[in-house]
Amino acid sequence: MNTEILKLLETDSKLSVKDIADMLGLDEAAVAADIKAMEDKKVICGYHTMIDWDKVAEEKVTALIEIKVTPQRGQGFDKIAERIYNFEEVSAVYLMAGAFDFTVILQGKTLKEVSMFVSNKLAVMETVVSTSTNFVLKKYKDHGIIFDVEKKDERLAIIP
């Protein structure tokens, strides 16, 4: 498995096989075969585009929900996670170590829509002990991408 290919694709999934081969000094056919093999093995799980939704007319609310659960005998955390990640609104589910068991990230159109999801779908699950919902107010960096940073001109002025 070529981790250099993975690092390049993680940074820019739009890179072509030719670009990757050129950057790494490898044969195009070998790079294409490596990528195909990693896709087949689900090492590469998909390709993602980062969008700054604050610059688009469509409003979105992102919430991080901390959930405490009581796992059922013989099913553990995996079954609970599966029930949660199958909801359309959920974009990520993480098993955590610490004060709570899961972090769930979801998006909705409004605060009310997110609140209704939590109260009608998550909190009522028989394994859920408690939830704590945190709303994202502003994104500064996501998936390694820095959002909306003003570039300062640090050049020195030349006075004739």
Side-chain angles (χ1 to χ4, degrees):
M1 178 176 350
N2 191 325
T3 56
E4 293 305 312
I5 292 173
L6 293 173
K7 289 175 186 176
L8 288 171
L9 285 173
E10 187 175 44
T11 302
D12 185 357
S13 64
K14 289 175 54 175
L15 287 173
S16 69
V17 171
K18 180 181 180 345
D19 291 340
I20 294 169
D22 289 346
M23 293 167 99
L24 298 177
L26 300 172
D27 178 63
E28 271 187 65
V31 170
D34 281 354
I35 291 172
K36 173 79 169 99
M38 289 186 283
E39 289 171 343
D40 291 345
K41 291 178 184 175
K42 299 292 184 202
V43 172
I44 297 174
C45 302
Y47 297 89
H48 189 77
T49 302
M50 290 298 301
I51 298 169
D52 187 347
W53 287 104
D54 289 342
K55 294 181 179 177
V56 180
E58 183 176 335
E59 291 290 322
K60 288 193 181 266
V61 175
T62 302
L64 284 73
I65 304 161
E66 300 167 353
I67 304 175
K68 289 184 186 179
V69 299
T70 304
Q72 300 297 310
R73 181 173 293 154
Q75 296 181 6
F77 292 107
D78 293 344
K79 264 303 196 214
I80 299 168
E82 182 180 359
R83 285 189 61 199
I84 295 169
Y85 68 62
N86 279 316
F87 289 116
E88 183 180 317
E89 299 89 342
V90 173
S91 60
V93 177
Y94 301 103
L95 180 62
M96 307 300 291
F100 51 92
D101 301 305
F102 290 106
T103 295
V104 175
I105 300 173
L106 65 93
Q107 290 187 334
K109 292 179 182 172
T110 64
L111 294 174
K112 183 174 182 174
E113 182 178 283
V114 171
S115 299
M116 295 306 292
F117 172 82
V118 173
S119 62
N120 293 337
K121 293 182 180 178
L122 284 182
V124 296
M125 292 173 61
E126 61 279 353
T127 56
V128 171
V129 175
S130 67
T131 65
S132 176
T133 303
N134 304 281
F135 291 99
V136 174
L137 301 177
K138 181 177 181 179
K139 281 187 188 179
Y140 293 98
K141 184 175 183 178
D142 192 1
H143 289 82
I145 305 296
I146 297 171
F147 286 77
D148 209 23
V149 174
E150 290 184 27
K151 303 245 184 205
K152 292 182 182 176
D153 189 355
E154 296 182 11
R155 297 178 291 177
L156 295 175
I158 298 176
I159 302 172

